[in-house]
Amino acid sequence: GEDVEQSLFLSVREGDSSVINCTYTDSSSTYLYWYKQEPGAGLQLLTYIFSNMDMKQDQRLTVLLNKKDKHLSLRIADTQTGDSAIYFCAEKTGGSYIPTFGRGTSLIVHP
Amino acid sequence: DTEVTQTPKHLVMGMTNKKSLKCEQHMGHRAMYWYKQKAKKPPELMFVYSYEKLSINESVPSRFSPECPNSSLLNLHLHALQPEDSALYLCASSQSGQGAKNIQYFGAGTRLSVL
């Protein structure tokens, strides 16, 4: 079955880089997503990567994919207090309607 | 524009009330979803509509009744809810149900409290 694992908490100092990690079990996963959820808000799609890519960069965000280890990471450069939120990793196979979500990593940024 | 609009933002209802949640998107997406999310948990899928037809019902109790009047609108009718149904209800949409373009875009949610 599908399973997506994330660590529950990450605490960083403002200005440092944050790295949020995710592992998944389904080797046929084709699409991998990162969503951000601020308190009381919905899920905001941050970025996504296809399984035929190793890396994707978008401004302060860098996604790295290690297909062999089924490991996905999200790096946030120069982390700001506004980055404090829960970050959900999700994966989906091509034939599926629905992504499988991890439990979310709560990122706390200290001034 | 990747906006999914949900109304109301907050709803408080008694266990005997009937209320509806609304969701709207104008991205031309043909798949729409209802999720339920409890605090500090990932969203849990409830229903999927594809081309205005119900395609997935994740064994949701009948006190939740979805409706898709047209390709832009999705409703969730609520009746005789229980306090444990209190949660954030999220609507999402995607270009189609499956395949490469099925990136889900979420609304801001309706915070529901059942007294």
Side-chain angles (χ1 to χ4, degrees):
Chain A
E2 301 162 350
D3 198 14
V4 179
E5 297 286 340
Q6 298 178 244
S7 54
L8 293 182
F9 299 100
L10 177 65
S11 179
V12 300
R13 193 182 303 272
E14 190 174 18
D16 289 349
S17 292
S18 308
V19 180
I20 303 171
N21 294 302
C22 171
T23 58
Y24 58 96
T25 57
D26 192 339
S27 57
S28 60
S29 294
T30 313
Y31 313 104
L32 298 124
Y33 311 91
W34 284 105
Y35 285 89
K36 175 184 180 183
Q37 187 173 34
E38 297 182 30
L43 272 68
Q44 173 196 353
L45 178 69
L46 282 180
T47 187
Y48 61 93
I49 190 169
F50 296 144
S51 60
N52 61 355
M53 299 166 67
D54 296 321
M55 186 184 91
K56 182 176 181 181
Q57 186 154 4
D58 184 1
Q59 299 182 341
R60 292 190 298 124
L61 305 179
T62 303
V63 179
L64 293 177
L65 175 60
N66 181 328
K67 288 183 284 295
K68 175 175 171 290
D69 295 337
K70 300 191 190 67
H71 181 266
L72 183 74
S73 67
L74 174 69
R75 179 177 180 269
I76 306 172
D78 187 24
T79 312
Q80 303 297 307
T81 54
D83 295 322
S84 294
I86 299 177
Y87 291 80
F88 289 98
C89 169
E91 62 86 23
K92 192 179 81 64
T93 59
S96 171
Y97 276 105
I98 308 303
T100 299
F101 287 90
R103 293 175 62 189
T105 299
S106 182
L107 174 64
I108 299 167
V109 182
H110 298 285
Chain B
D1 181 13
T2 57
E3 189 170 354
V4 177
T5 304
Q6 289 188 243
T7 55
K9 292 194 186 309
H10 302 277
L11 179 62
V12 180
M13 59 187 291
M15 290 190 283
T16 58
N17 292 157
K18 285 186 182 181
K19 296 286 184 184
S20 296
L21 309 185
K22 296 186 184 303
C23 175
E24 189 168 2
Q25 56 86 15
H26 295 288
M27 295 180 276
H29 288 176
R30 302 311 300 270
M32 297 186 76
Y33 311 77
W34 280 117
Y35 285 87
K36 174 183 177 181
Q37 187 182 27
K38 290 284 203 179
K40 310 288 188 190
K41 300 287 186 186
E44 298 173 12
L45 182 69
M46 300 174 72
F47 302 104
V48 179
Y49 273 83
S50 180
Y51 293 86
E52 295 132 65
K53 292 192 184 332
L54 182 65
S55 58
I56 295 178
N57 176 342
E58 290 288 323
S59 302
V60 179
S62 59
R63 58 185 183 269
F64 296 91
S65 175
E67 179 198 18
C68 189
N70 60 56
S71 60
S72 299
L73 293 174
L74 185 67
N75 298 322
L76 186 63
H77 303 297
L78 314 173
H79 174 54
L81 294 195
Q82 303 298 309
E84 60 266 27
D85 297 321
S86 298
L88 181 67
Y89 287 83
L90 293 165
C91 173
S93 71
S94 66
Q95 201 168 64
S96 65
Q98 296 173 308
K101 295 297 185 181
N102 189 32
I103 296 171
Q104 292 188 341
Y105 295 92
F106 285 81
T110 294
R111 176 75 58 190
L112 174 68
S113 297
V114 182
L115 304 178

